[in-house]
Amino acid sequence: MASHRKWSPTGTRIAGIRTPALATAALTSVALLSQTANAAPSADSKPSIEEVEKKVDDLYHQAEAATEKYNATREKTAQQRKRVDSLLDDVAQRTEKLNTARDELGSFAAAQYRTGASAPDTATLLLADNPQDYFDQTQLMDRLTSRQKVAVDDYITEQAATTKKRAEASQSLQTLTTTQSALRTSKADVQRKLAEARDLLSELTAEEKARLAAIEKKKQEAADRKAAELAQQQAAAEKKAQEAAAQQQTTSAATGTTSTTGTTGTTGTTGSSATDSSYTAKADKALAFARAQIGKPYVWGATGPGSYDCSGLTQAAWKAAGVDLPRTTWDQVNVGTTVPLSDIKPGDLVFFYDDISHVGLYIGNGMMIHAPKPGAYVREESIFYGGESIIHSVVRPA
């Protein structure tokens, strides 16, 4: 029969430590502690300038998206408040009519009771909260004169309409309360993200701020080069189109033919030219307004005249040209005609980011006027300020 003995580790024991396993582990721990003590500090895990720049840009982008949500909610709140006010006015007017109808019923009842022409139950009918129910129970309609019947009908109609409008007003008030709460939430979200961005920037040293400015300058120079490339491409395309038109005129003169509005091609060209001319006139007015706003501060939720956010500026600029745009970027992008970037013209709206949270007004040569971000001012800038990849779409609003 096998013996049952506890397993004993091999190797000698020195000062209560089994060797070699535990001794090796102990020596390794001492070595690691020594290395940690002698190692250089990790700079408190402070983010690099590039990381700070990206984080701040992300926060500003998030703040702009939250601003557009705030704008949409504020517009919805204003519309709901108008509806509530209208309903309350309607209820007040209907209540006044209801009281007048009740007074008329009361005067009928009092007169009939004094002359003995009415039984007490008829008076009860005329003063009841719901005369129609009383009709169904007592069948007293035959006892009323035609004028009294009309008065009762009017009262019942006004009573039902007033009850309905009161219910609508109550529901609208609840909806208004909900949108006001959402408005406060959106506002707090914007303020929180802007505060976080400010805190990040405030922690930078003077040297770090200089490095950040150098990074921004480098990005701006790259964006300006990209804008110049677009301008050259458009100029080349325009020159080619002019040369083609001149060649067509030369060919027509040589063959003795003349262009008339009877030809399909000429008719289309004429219509296109008229449309282009009309758009250019409106765009010029919008651009003139936008240029006059350069230097004014970006303020989220602002629509002028002293400050603007991005969509507030484009809305105001095109309003000066007689074109009404919606308040938010999310709605403005759906107005007018979407065109390719290669066909962009002065006056067009340029939208940015997948969430369409920013917009600028194109002025030509790859440049735009926009209200960039908190802490900045309305200015001219390349549409490639954040790289071509962030351009969402181009819209011709008129």
Side-chain angles (χ1 to χ4, degrees):
M1 186 173 182
S3 61
H4 298 278
R5 294 184 300 172
K6 293 183 178 180
W7 174 82
S8 298
T10 58
T12 57
R13 295 168 60 90
I14 301 176
I17 301 179
R18 293 193 181 106
T19 60
L22 292 180
T24 302
L27 290 172
T28 301
S29 299
V30 171
L32 289 173
L33 289 172
S34 176
Q35 290 174 5
T36 302
N38 294 329
S42 62
D44 298 326
S45 300
K46 188 173 183 179
S48 67
I49 293 300
E50 291 76 12
E51 290 173 334
V52 170
E53 182 207 24
K54 185 179 185 307
K55 180 63 175 176
V56 170
D57 285 347
D58 287 346
L59 285 169
Y60 280 143
H61 175 203
Q62 293 169 25
E64 273 205 300
T67 295
E68 291 305 310
K69 183 177 180 181
Y70 169 83
N71 292 338
T73 305
R74 185 170 67 175
E75 189 172 43
K76 183 178 179 181
T77 299
Q79 292 171 350
Q80 193 62 35
R81 184 177 288 112
K82 288 181 180 179
R83 173 168 172 75
V84 168
D85 290 343
S86 176
L87 284 170
L88 290 177
D89 287 344
D90 192 13
V91 167
Q93 292 173 6
R94 290 182 180 278
T95 300
E96 186 176 353
K97 290 180 181 179
L98 190 64
N99 290 336
T100 300
R102 181 183 288 274
D103 291 343
E104 189 172 2
L105 289 179
S107 65
F108 287 154
Q112 288 189 352
Y113 191 74
R114 283 195 304 269
T115 61
S118 172
D121 54 357
T122 305
T124 303
L125 159 69
L126 294 173
L127 295 176
D129 287 335
N130 193 337
Q132 187 61 55
D133 288 346
Y134 203 75
F135 292 157
D136 296 337
Q137 295 174 11
T138 61
Q139 298 179 345
L140 291 177
M141 182 61 81
D142 292 340
R143 301 186 188 184
L144 301 177
T145 66
S146 59
R147 181 184 174 190
Q148 290 171 339
K149 289 177 182 178
V150 170
V152 171
D153 288 342
D154 289 346
Y155 178 83
I156 293 171
T157 300
E158 284 300 329
Q159 186 182 49
T162 302
T163 300
K164 181 180 179 181
K165 287 298 181 181
R166 280 174 178 164
E168 289 181 18
S170 177
Q171 181 62 44
S172 292
L173 281 171
Q174 292 178 4
T175 302
L176 178 60
T177 300
T178 301
T179 53
Q180 286 175 329
S181 177
L183 186 65
R184 288 191 292 270
T185 300
S186 297
K187 183 177 181 178
D189 193 24
V190 174
Q191 292 174 329
R192 182 171 59 255
K193 294 187 183 302
L194 293 180
E196 190 175 347
R198 285 193 297 267
D199 289 343
L200 278 173
L201 293 173
S202 67
E203 292 173 358
L204 297 178
T205 64
E207 180 184 356
E208 289 170 333
K209 289 179 180 178
R211 288 170 55 195
L212 183 60
I215 292 174
E216 291 289 343
K217 183 179 179 181
K218 188 175 181 180
K219 286 174 61 178
Q220 182 178 346
E221 290 172 348
D224 290 343
R225 286 194 299 272
K226 192 72 176 174
E229 290 176 11
L230 177 61
Q232 290 173 358
Q233 292 169 4
Q234 288 188 314
E238 179 66 21
K239 182 179 179 181
K240 186 176 181 180
Q242 290 175 351
E243 290 174 348
Q247 180 63 37
Q248 184 178 7
Q249 285 185 342
T250 301
T251 302
S252 297
T255 58
T257 60
T258 58
S259 297
T260 65
T261 56
T263 61
T264 303
T266 306
T267 301
T269 303
T270 302
S272 176
S273 298
T275 301
D276 289 347
S277 177
S278 174
Y279 180 74
T280 299
K282 293 177 181 178
D284 286 345
K285 292 180 181 179
L287 292 174
F289 179 92
R291 286 191 176 95
Q293 313 313 308
I294 290 176
K296 293 183 179 180
Y298 174 104
V299 174
W300 63 274
T303 56
S307 58
Y308 297 89
D309 64 15
C310 65
S311 55
L313 176 63
T314 52
Q315 182 188 46
W318 269 103
K319 186 175 183 179
V323 177
D324 289 328
L325 296 181
R327 176 63 183 92
T328 69
T329 55
W330 302 327
D331 291 327
Q332 289 181 11
V333 74
N334 295 317
V335 174
T337 305
T338 300
V339 298
L341 182 61
S342 58
D343 192 34
I344 191 170
K345 294 181 179 180
D348 290 351
L349 302 176
V350 189
F351 295 91
F352 299 88
Y353 304 107
D354 290 340
D355 58 2
I356 319 175
S357 57
H358 189 66
V359 63
L361 187 67
Y362 189 68
I363 61 175
N365 296 322
M367 304 294 286
M368 67 178 173
I369 296 174
H370 70 148
K373 60 185 178 182
Y377 298 85
V378 175
R379 67 192 183 203
E380 292 186 10
E381 191 166 23
S382 167
I383 62 173
F384 302 103
Y385 74 100
E388 186 172 355
S389 63
I390 71 167
I391 297 177
H392 176 275
S393 57
V394 178
V395 170
R396 193 156 296 154

